[in-house]
Amino acid sequence: MSVQLSRLLRAASRLPLTLVVSAAGAGAAVAQVVSAGEVELAGAPFSVVSWLILIGSLAAAEWRFGSRRTLTVAALATAVGVVLGWALLSGLAALGEPLSQEAVRYQAWTPSVTSAALLFAVSTTLRPAARSSMRWVTGTAVVAMLLTSGHASDVARALAAGAGLAAGVVVRRAVPGEAWRPGSRGRWRSILASSLVVVASAVALASVTPNATGVLAWTGAVVDPAFAPLVAVLLAVGAGLILTGRLVGVLVGGGALVVVAVAALSGLVIVPALTGGIDWSGLTGADAEWQLVALLAGGLPALLVLLFALGARAALRRPVPQPTVEDRERLAAVLRRSGDGTFAHMATWAGNSLWFDPAGSVVAYRVRDGVAFTLGDPVGPRPDEAARAFARFCEGRGWTPVFYSVHDAAAAALEQAGWTRTAVGTEAVVDTAGFTLSGRKRQDLRTAVNRAEREGMTAVWTTYRDCEPAVREQIDALCSGWVEGKRLPEMGFTLGGLAELDDPAVRLMVALGADGRVHAVTSWLPRLRDGALVGWTLDVMRRDRAGMPGAMEFAIVSAIRRAAEEGVPVVSLSGTPLAAHEGAATGRIAGRLRRLLEPAYGFASLERFKAKFGATPEPLWMCFPQPMQLGRIAPALLRVYVPDLRLRGVVGALRASA
């Protein structure tokens, strides 16, 4: 028997720590359910959830620290929490403190004690924004359990969390980076949301755990059990909505909090005071403490309502400002001085809001569902400082800032500040001085140019307003026909359309047949530095489906040659949205959107088309403060690109492409 046991131990030592604990946890959870006749039924599901959280915490810690360090941190932090917690409670209980006497009746260790220690330890390895979020979420849960349940394990959990934090710092250094700290409005949202979560825990646990002895257990006990689940859900939903600055969250969460406060204040303070239930004369220390606990349980929700009233306005999301005439004049001045970025001229498009830095930079952005997406890099002398200032501006208005389609410099600065970045596209940049049609890879371009010359096609460099009426009508028809042929609505944001052609600063390169027929049209956005033209960015591409094959290639080649003749050094074929690039795979959000929109918009074919011109690929990034915000960013980004998109259209497009 001993030989078999030693073999099992040696085999277990070679397995990942998470796998070993998973097996142990599964056995313990099954035992808890099987023995439900000997313990309260409510404890069985909690035991299962507790073990699952521990397994997840171990997996995260093992990924960050390795098995040996994870075991060390878990063992030491848990031991500190359990030993110190039990010693503290035992000492107070010996002195006659009633809450401690109740707490020591229960075991000092549960799986969540170790989970809290590991999660706080793991937080030291995260970037600053994610680090703060994990500590806020875990800390809120620890405090909620301590104030509601009040058992020995809840005290041990709080102490183990602190020990885990210290152990994490010792075992592994924190990820470097300057933390992007939220302003006062962000802190108000966190405070109000945490308050609602704590009260929701009190209401929920009191209705399913009759042996809870914490201060707030009294608060939850006075709520009618028939309505307690609904009240707890409303409080939790309100907390989630408040984190996004939603007014409905303030109304729902605040209303539920008022209900709890009224019930607690009347049941634990007002009614006992009127009926003589509160009487301090002749009471022993323990009896006086119980009455003090009742007063705290009845008064704390009322204090939270007051706190809610003070901070509700600061937590609300602000409306999106619309640019004024003065704003557009300031934008034009900034573009003349520093508008040499790829997407700089797109800031002039309708639908964008504008934010100005005192140092002279401007950020064009669009807000959808509380997420503010910038249209490329900040335009101005200090884009890195402008990016951080704009992030603080968004936070103050209750928005999640997202820098979309930014280049390496801005992405690196934001990453240094602790942000997360993911690949969302690739820009194709052509050096006009080195552009040539020679070589096997340019065969398609040579064929298109030669055929255009044989058929008498000309390349007309003009503006939309300067086009002949007949040519303008054909351009309008090409743009309208292109939209009608799509299964989904026309995309916007970083992709222009017919409305963006009617701009005196935008040039068109039209492939015009000898008979006056428009075979293809491209639009080019100016890029200026100190008032001088330094580049063009390709925007609109529309081709007559019955036109000459290669007409689009001919139009783009003609534009590049025209730029070279005029001494313009750079021509950008713009970015291909949601495209992967060398050195970074497409991000999870970009990958999902690309799979969704590819059948209707053909990003892959667009990427292959641009590769014909031998352009240099430059990565485009999306940067955002915390990974946990991805769930909100993805649908908001889809709505920014296609504001009129409806679920029926998406389903129809997917069926048609299947």
Side-chain angles (χ1 to χ4, degrees):
M1 187 68 177
S2 59
V3 174
Q4 185 178 6
L5 179 59
S6 63
R7 289 178 179 175
L8 290 175
L9 291 175
R10 285 198 301 270
S13 66
R14 293 192 293 268
L15 294 175
L17 179 61
T18 305
L19 183 59
V20 175
V21 176
S22 298
V30 170
Q32 176 78 355
V33 175
V34 171
S35 61
E38 301 177 5
V39 298
E40 297 180 15
L41 285 174
F46 283 117
S47 177
V48 173
V49 172
S50 185
W51 277 103
L52 290 176
I53 294 175
L54 175 58
I55 292 169
S57 303
L58 281 167
E62 198 166 12
W63 175 45
R64 290 289 184 174
F65 300 128
S67 297
R68 290 185 178 180
R69 291 185 175 181
T70 297
L71 182 59
T72 301
V73 171
L76 290 179
T78 301
V80 168
V82 171
V83 172
L84 287 184
W86 188 260
L88 176 63
L89 292 174
S90 298
L92 293 175
L95 296 175
E97 201 278 316
L99 289 179
S100 299
Q101 291 176 341
E102 286 292 324
V104 294
R105 295 174 53 199
Y106 302 95
Q107 63 186 25
W109 183 85
T110 62
S112 60
V113 173
T114 305
S115 299
L118 289 174
L119 289 176
F120 267 91
V122 169
S123 71
T124 63
T125 69
L126 303 178
R127 293 189 177 278
R131 185 188 312 159
S132 299
S133 295
M134 175 171 281
R135 291 176 183 175
W136 172 75
V137 172
T138 308
T140 299
V142 169
V143 172
M145 292 298 296
L146 178 63
L147 293 179
T148 303
S149 180
H151 294 170
S153 60
D154 301 306
V155 176
R157 187 184 302 110
L159 295 173
L165 180 62
V169 173
V170 173
V171 171
R172 181 173 178 176
R173 285 188 176 183
V175 176
E178 177 187 348
W180 177 71
R181 300 185 183 280
S184 60
R185 295 185 183 275
R187 287 192 292 270
W188 270 115
R189 284 190 287 273
S190 297
I191 291 171
L192 297 185
S194 295
S195 300
L196 293 183
V197 169
V198 170
V199 177
S201 302
V203 174
L205 289 176
S207 62
V208 298
T209 309
N211 58 353
T213 59
V215 174
L216 290 184
W218 296 52
T219 304
V222 299
V223 179
D224 190 331
F227 299 102
L230 176 60
V231 172
V233 169
L234 292 177
L235 288 167
V237 170
L241 293 174
I242 283 175
L243 287 176
T244 63
R246 300 291 296 275
L247 174 61
V248 64
V250 173
L251 297 177
V252 171
L257 182 61
V258 169
V259 170
V260 175
V262 170
L265 196 61
S266 61
L268 296 174
V269 179
I270 297 177
V271 172
L274 295 177
T275 59
I278 298 179
D279 185 7
W280 298 97
S281 60
L283 293 180
T284 63
D287 292 336
E289 183 174 345
W290 282 121
Q291 292 207 111
L292 180 60
V293 169
L295 291 175
L296 288 175
L300 279 177
L303 293 177
L304 292 179
V305 169
L306 178 60
L307 181 68
F308 210 90
L310 294 174
R313 181 177 177 81
L316 289 178
R317 184 190 301 172
R318 295 297 188 266
V320 182
Q322 299 302 315
T324 63
V325 175
E326 291 77 10
D327 290 337
R328 297 199 175 279
E329 292 176 352
R330 291 180 63 186
L331 172 63
V334 175
L335 291 177
R336 284 193 298 270
R337 184 174 61 252
S338 307
D340 56 339
T342 303
F343 306 106
H345 190 78
M346 295 181 184
T348 64
W349 290 357
N352 293 329
S353 295
L354 302 174
W355 173 85
F356 293 91
D357 185 312
S361 298
V362 61
V363 174
Y365 65 97
R366 300 190 185 188
V367 180
R368 289 291 183 277
D369 301 329
V371 182
F373 294 92
T374 70
L375 209 164
D377 304 278
V379 180
R382 294 298 305 272
D384 52 345
E385 293 183 0
R388 299 185 186 188
F390 176 74
R392 290 191 294 269
F393 163 77
C394 292
E395 188 278 332
R397 302 190 73 88
W399 308 330
T400 299
V402 176
F403 284 84
Y404 185 77
S405 285
V406 297
H407 292 79
D408 281 332
L414 291 168
E415 190 173 32
Q416 181 63 28
W419 288 41
T420 298
R421 67 169 165 174
T422 184
V424 292
T426 303
E427 180 188 6
V429 180
V430 177
D431 180 4
T432 59
F435 180 73
T436 178
L437 295 183
S438 61
R440 186 175 61 180
K441 294 183 179 180
R442 307 291 179 269
Q443 179 62 48
D444 289 348
L445 302 184
R446 291 197 301 273
T447 300
V449 172
N450 293 335
R451 181 169 182 174
E453 292 176 352
R454 290 196 306 269
E455 297 187 9
M457 184 176 294
T458 57
V460 180
W461 185 247
T462 183
T463 66
Y464 181 79
R465 296 180 183 180
D466 292 338
C467 288
E468 296 292 334
V471 173
R472 193 182 305 127
E473 290 178 2
Q474 293 183 68
I475 293 174
D476 294 349
L478 286 180
C479 294
S480 301
W482 184 87
V483 175
E484 293 173 357
K486 298 296 180 181
R487 302 186 186 99
L488 294 175
E490 184 176 18
M491 296 184 72
F493 194 34
T494 61
L495 302 172
L498 179 60
E500 286 71 34
L501 298 182
D502 191 9
D503 183 342
V506 175
R507 306 289 295 190
L508 305 184
M509 182 60 79
V510 183
L512 195 63
D515 57 354
R517 177 182 178 182
V518 176
H519 290 252
V521 60
T522 59
S523 70
W524 300 85
L525 311 180
R527 301 168 65 173
L528 305 173
R529 185 187 304 126
D530 296 328
L533 182 67
V534 295
W536 293 103
T537 297
L538 175 63
D539 182 26
V540 173
M541 294 190 297
R542 300 290 184 265
R543 184 180 67 85
D544 186 352
R545 296 177 182 176
M548 184 198 83
M552 185 62 69
E553 288 88 338
F554 169 69
I556 295 177
V557 168
S558 300
I560 297 173
R561 287 176 167 176
R562 178 67 181 245
E565 293 172 0
E566 296 179 350
V568 178
V570 174
V571 166
S572 171
L573 303 185
S574 195
T576 302
L578 313 178
H581 50 74
E582 184 178 356
T586 305
R588 184 171 61 181
I589 290 181
R592 290 179 179 177
L593 293 181
R594 178 166 181 158
R595 288 191 295 272
L596 174 65
L597 301 176
E598 176 63 31
Y601 297 109
F603 296 125
S605 60
L606 178 61
E607 196 172 5
R608 290 192 298 269
F609 173 80
K610 292 181 179 181
K612 297 180 181 180
F613 298 88
T616 301
E618 293 189 2
L620 297 175
W621 304 92
M622 179 172 67
C623 302
F624 45 95
Q626 303 178 44
M628 64 184 298
Q629 296 167 333
L630 286 173
R632 293 184 55 228
I633 292 173
L637 178 60
L638 181 60
R639 289 195 60 199
V640 164
Y641 265 112
V642 194
D644 299 328
L645 186 65
R646 296 293 181 268
L647 180 60
R648 181 180 301 177
V650 175
V651 174
L654 293 176
R655 288 179 177 176
S657 60

